[in-house]
Amino acid sequence: MRMRRHRTLVRSVLTTALVASLTTAAVGTSAADPAPETGAAKSDNITHLASVPMVGPLAGSANTDIAFAGKKAYVGNYNGFQIYDIADPAKPTLISQVHCPGSQNDVSVYAGLLFLSTDSSRSDSSCQSVSQSPTIKESWEGIKIFDVKDPANPKYLAAVETKCGSHTHTLIPDKRGKSVYIYNSSYFPDTKFPDCQPPNDRIDILKVPLNDPTKAAVVASPILFPDGGFPGSETGTATSGCHDITAFPAKNIAAAACMGDGVLLDISKPEAPKILHKVQDAENFAFWHGATFNGDGTKVMFQDELGGGGGAMCNAEVGPNKGATAIFDIKKRKLVFQSYYKISRHQAENENCVSHNGSLIPVPGRDIVVQAWYQGGFSVWDFTDSKNPKEIGYFDRPPRNPAGFGGYWSVYYYNGFIYGTESVKAFDTFKIKDRRTDPAARVKLKELNVQTQPPFWG
């Protein structure tokens, strides 16, 4: 799927002039789709506000994850990242772009810093790097750090190399406010890769001093699977690392989606996480992909990315339990399975569709999420009753023509609106108007990294 390579810890600082050559400023650009809902099926409570097409060096690639700070949205892309002004969600404007190729460029923001995951083997840590075989020891993968205090002029500060690259990452702020920890997720080792050797049963933990991010470094690599983890099955992927981790710092817990295993972690000591409980689902789960807690950290949902995001998994043949989202209650610090949720609208055989990235809609006393399903669009659903999840809203474009990969990679709720990355088309904004979700508009956040969930109640 991805070519990988790593070497020892690398720090790379680019000059302002060099960064200026990488950054394409596009202040004021909007170019919203004049007919964003043409042909789309949707519920009456969803309004599509705007669709801003990809432009410049990021066009023709794939949009990935989203992070938020103030009235800005930071959108990852396989070719770099872009920053949007979302002060008016109906008219988002592109502020700047940074061309910095390296899949999949998972993105997060904290204290004026932007962190970017590189999970493809590159010739070096710069943004001018080219693809290079992971069998070459001098190749590079890891996490890049940018200063985005001036969104119109991002500055590349440093890079930290990690074993097996960085597919996704999760921020855990130091309780003293002086540093931020990064839990790095990567997988698929190979005996031919010098620095990414099997079994890769660990995660890397970085520590970033906020007063000097150039001193960021890997400070621990705890083993999560001393027993080897899930061995694999006819339908399920063997564990050789983690795909994604979601932290709930207020309760000192995290949920790790690790290929064949779902894991609940104690993160009270960020440099030494401890396993509280592990679960497997050999019958219905193919690939544990990501996790979302409810508002008080008493439940967690895990996604199954059956088919790797490129398969048509939303049809009668696959059924309602595979490629779905599994709901667990957390009881006595253990994961207790309750039910599966999957969209009921069958998609065409040429539409890639499977459970993917979503976020909580913070309604007090309710458990409601919005979740992406690639070409299945997105779904708003209620899991307050863990055993009986119910959809309350949706948006679904028709199949791509000509057929091909597409749809929503990430769909998140932030300060009253829904934002989505249509992976090969645009950055989209939506409004949901429904008595069941309206109370969430009163919750205002200063920033949101979905993999670092704040408590909303409890």
Side-chain angles (χ1 to χ4, degrees):
M1 294 174 64
R2 284 159 305 281
M3 295 298 286
R4 305 170 170 276
R5 238 297 317 136
H6 335 276
R7 68 173 184 261
T8 56
L9 177 67
V10 174
R11 297 190 186 103
S12 175
V13 181
L14 299 185
T15 65
T16 301
L18 182 54
V19 170
S21 71
L22 302 176
T23 304
T24 303
V27 178
T29 300
S30 180
D33 187 334
E37 295 181 22
T38 301
K42 70 180 191 68
S43 55
D44 291 341
N45 55 3
I46 300 290
T47 301
H48 193 178
L49 299 176
S51 188
V52 184
M54 291 184 282
V55 297
L58 275 59
S61 190
N63 283 332
T64 58
D65 215 357
I66 317 171
F68 303 91
K71 296 180 179 179
K72 307 293 187 295
Y74 302 79
V75 177
N77 179 288
Y78 271 67
N79 274 345
F81 67 89
Q82 50 225 319
I83 305 175
Y84 292 92
D85 185 329
I86 55 171
D88 181 354
K91 296 181 180 179
T93 56
L94 181 63
I95 299 172
S96 62
Q97 294 180 324
V98 170
H99 182 237
C100 197
S103 68
Q104 58 186 21
N105 280 338
D106 188 45
V107 63
S108 61
V109 291
Y110 184 75
L113 299 175
L114 181 144
F115 303 96
L116 199 68
S117 285
T118 299
D119 193 35
S120 57
S121 185
R122 312 295 299 179
S123 56
D124 56 56
S125 63
S126 76
C127 286
Q128 295 80 32
S129 69
V130 296
S131 179
Q132 183 165 287
S133 172
T135 63
I136 299 173
K137 189 168 179 59
E138 289 70 29
S139 298
W140 187 91
E141 296 178 71
I143 292 178
K144 301 182 179 82
I145 304 172
F146 293 79
D147 182 330
V148 291
K149 294 182 183 68
D150 178 0
N153 295 287
K155 298 178 181 179
Y156 188 179
L157 298 179
V160 179
E161 189 163 25
T162 58
K163 292 184 181 295
C164 297
S166 178
H167 194 69
T168 66
H169 65 267
T170 303
L171 304 185
I172 300 174
D174 173 15
K175 289 180 171 58
R176 297 178 301 167
K178 295 183 178 181
S179 302
V180 63
Y181 288 97
I182 300 177
Y183 279 25
N184 180 69
S185 296
S186 60
Y187 56 101
F188 282 157
D190 194 298
T191 56
K192 298 187 295 294
F193 302 165
D195 293 330
C196 186
Q197 293 286 302
N200 192 42
D201 51 7
R202 30 162 284 289
I203 60 172
D204 293 317
I205 300 175
L206 286 66
K207 188 175 184 179
V208 183
L210 297 179
N211 64 352
D212 189 357
T214 64
K215 293 183 178 180
V218 174
V219 294
S221 296
I223 302 297
L224 295 188
F225 303 99
D227 62 352
F230 184 64
S233 67
E234 185 176 340
T235 57
T237 307
T239 297
S240 61
C242 292
H243 179 278
D244 207 343
I245 300 171
T246 296
F248 198 92
K251 280 198 166 182
N252 290 319
I253 56 176
C258 302
M259 303 179 74
D261 291 85
V263 184
L264 186 65
L265 296 171
D266 179 332
I267 58 170
S268 54
K269 296 180 179 179
E271 294 185 26
K274 294 182 179 180
I275 295 172
L276 297 172
H277 193 214
K278 291 191 293 186
V279 291
Q280 299 172 348
D281 185 345
E283 180 179 357
N284 285 313
F285 257 49
F287 190 93
W288 296 68
H289 174 274
T292 304
F293 288 96
N294 69 340
D296 62 358
T298 58
K299 301 178 184 180
V300 64
M301 307 178 313
F302 285 98
Q303 308 148 6
D304 173 22
E305 195 186 40
L306 175 66
M313 301 300 172
C314 299
N315 53 48
E317 181 182 357
V318 174
N321 295 338
K322 296 183 178 182
T325 298
I327 303 165
F328 292 81
D329 287 349
I330 301 174
K331 297 181 178 180
K332 296 182 179 180
R333 311 199 94 183
K334 291 185 179 295
L335 298 165
V336 182
F337 173 77
Q338 300 298 311
S339 66
Y340 297 106
Y341 171 79
K342 189 175 181 180
I343 57 173
S344 58
R345 293 171 301 282
H346 290 161
Q347 303 295 303
E349 292 303 317
N350 60 357
E351 288 187 283
N352 59 299
C353 178
V354 74
S355 176
H356 218 244
N357 296 347
S359 77
L360 197 70
I361 298 180
V363 178
R366 307 294 297 179
D367 300 324
I368 301 176
V369 297
V370 57
Q371 186 179 2
W373 295 83
Y374 281 114
Q375 285 197 69
F378 69 81
S379 175
V380 179
W381 54 284
D382 188 321
F383 64 108
T384 306
D385 181 350
S386 301
K387 291 186 179 295
N388 295 286
K390 297 180 180 178
E391 184 174 73
I392 61 177
Y394 70 94
F395 179 89
D396 183 6
R397 280 191 174 98
R400 285 178 52 79
N401 186 16
F405 174 83
Y408 287 105
W409 182 292
S410 300
V411 181
Y412 299 148
Y413 181 95
Y414 177 68
N415 291 352
F417 295 86
I418 293 171
Y419 300 87
T421 45
E422 210 295 336
S423 51
V424 297
K425 285 189 64 174
F427 174 61
D428 284 0
T429 63
F430 299 85
K431 178 73 174 178
I432 182 168
K433 181 65 177 175
D434 190 290
R435 60 177 177 76
R436 294 165 289 188
T437 58
D438 288 347
R442 294 195 289 269
V443 176
K444 300 298 182 184
L445 301 176
K446 292 183 179 179
E447 66 181 26
L448 177 64
N449 297 293
V450 169
Q451 286 75 31
T452 308
Q453 280 193 237
F456 291 112
W457 54 84

